Amino acid sequence: MTKKYDLIIAGGGIMASSLAYNLRRDGYTGSIAVFEKDRMYEFSSTPRSYGGVRHTFSIEGNIRLSQLSVKLYERFEQDMAMDGEAAVIDFNQHGYLYLADQDGLAMLKENMKLQHSLGCEIQLMTPEEVKAFVPELVVDDLAGGIFDVKGGNIDPNTVLQWYVRHAKRLGVEYIYEKVQAILTDGQAMTGVKLESGEEYHAPIVVNAAGAWSGELSKTAGLDIPVVPLKKQVYCVDLAEPFDRDIPFVFDTIKATYFQSEGQKIITSSREGSNLFDRDGQLSYHYNFHLDKSFFTNEVWPLLAERSPKFERLKLEQGWAGLYEYNYIDHNGIIGAYPGVKGYYVLTGFSGHGFQQAPAAGKGLSELIRLGRYETLDLTPFSIERFAKNELLLEKEVY
Ligand SMILES: Cc1cc2nc3c(=O)[nH]c(=O)nc-3n(C[C@H](O)[C@H](O)[C@H](O)COP(=O)(O)OP(=O)(O)OC[C@H]3O[C@@H](n4cnc5c(N)ncnc54)[C@H](O)[C@@H]3O)c2cc1C
């Protein structure tokens, strides 16, 4: 049995759903099917994200993607309201604070020049100002801090659900089946084949399968440098809570991060994820096991050095999730796949996909509908950059 659509999206997470919504909202009239293997999004990256948004990047494309997305998130509640129901996404714009030593601060200040030139509200702080802001922090080893005033956190699962609801309302069909293979005739896309053996045909196929996108692309013999990279998040109760809501704090010296989540603290480390085996070979797994001993042995001691508040705490819970990790230059891959008509990719965001999804979905929708970008030029994110050696060397990827 075969079915025909004008456009098929493999994967139904935030990237796919932002794309599907934007296509429809901006006037695409063709039929769209989204295939999602995990109906409850149990293992999808989007609901497992921190939901952090920030402007603190070192390359213009990333800053612009986040700037536009933050603007869209600021208006989300009104713009995405449905049937009189506000699209509540709990955007806590409590800021993003970076703590740094001399070398780290020099790099952050250099990036801040570009961020300022693009209109971002980023402040430089002395160690004394950091201390005044959060008095419980130890600041002796700091050269200073950088504060992204408009950064913050959003509930990622709610955003995803709103995009899905709108896309469905606008006529996008969600089919909860696993795509086994992407089909081509060698020159152009022809559709997808499901695990059941059923085929769905379309001249346009978008790979938005997140951490699974690299493997899925291989089924058509087309390489995308994206693999799953496990990240862990811990939720702790402090014996004596901080006196104030703690913004997202990234301690670049100790490579840890933490922030308030209601009365609790969410925390982790940028360390602890490894993509290469002892022989230096790429080695990855779809692993969702939460390693509590990593928190106890590697994260907790560093937190306690940054604040005595962390000395007495209880690890309540946590989770592991996957970055859709672009192992070459750690940034999104957006656009048409060269040499195969109708194949598009929207993946590889490597830990900053949630905050870029509104703008990335809008951008790819323009490229598919119009053959060019209108709102933001996302050409630098094309997959062709790898062959041309025009890598996006972002210094602020964690
Ligand atoms: C612990 C953690 C913290 C993070 N924190 C942040 C943060 O603070 N800020 C930020 O911007 N980003 C963050 N991220 C990254 C962010 O979550 C991702 O970049 C983003 O969610 C990617 O969206 P996606 O739609 O590509 O992936 P997903 O949400 O994983 O969606 C892809 C979907 O494709 C489906 N799929 C895969 N293969 C198939 C197939 N063969 N057939 C059918 N369906 C398929 C999957 O089930 C999945 O639902 C974090 C990620 C993790 C893991």
Side-chain angles (χ1 to χ4, degrees), residues 310-321:
F310 289 122
E311 280 168 11
R312 289 193 303 130
L313 59 77
K314 182 166 173 243
L315 175 57
E316 284 285 339
Q317 50 176 305
W319 65 88

Side-chain angles (χ1 to χ4, degrees), residues 91-97 133-137 147 151-153 238 241-249 258-266:
F91 192 175
N92 184 356
Q93 233 161 348
H94 54 183
Y96 241 75
L97 176 63
F133 189 46
V134 187
E136 297 93 341
L137 295 183
F147 188 57
N153 288 83
L238 302 184
F242 284 91
D243 289 337
R244 53 157 294 164
D245 174 71
I246 302 297
F248 189 101
V249 177
F258 50 92
Q259 68 167 74
S260 294
E261 179 77 27
Q263 291 301 304
K264 300 184 191 302
I265 293 285
I266 298 273

Side-chain angles (χ1 to χ4, degrees), residues 10-16 35-38 41 44-53 96 177-180 208-212 216 231-233 319 321-324 346 349-356:
I14 195 165
M15 288 297 165
F35 287 88
E36 172 53 59
K37 68 181 167 75
D38 183 353
Y41 295 102
S44 311
S45 301
T46 305
R48 289 174 181 253
S49 156
Y50 268 104
V53 299
Y96 241 75
E177 300 277 355
K178 180 173 176 184
V179 174
Q180 189 182 58
W212 297 264
L216 186 58
K231 291 280 171 178
Q232 308 187 85
V233 182
W319 65 88
L322 303 174
Y323 277 9
E324 71 288 16
L346 184 58
F349 289 82
S350 312
H352 45 285
F354 170 73
Q355 64 201 283
Q356 298 190 335

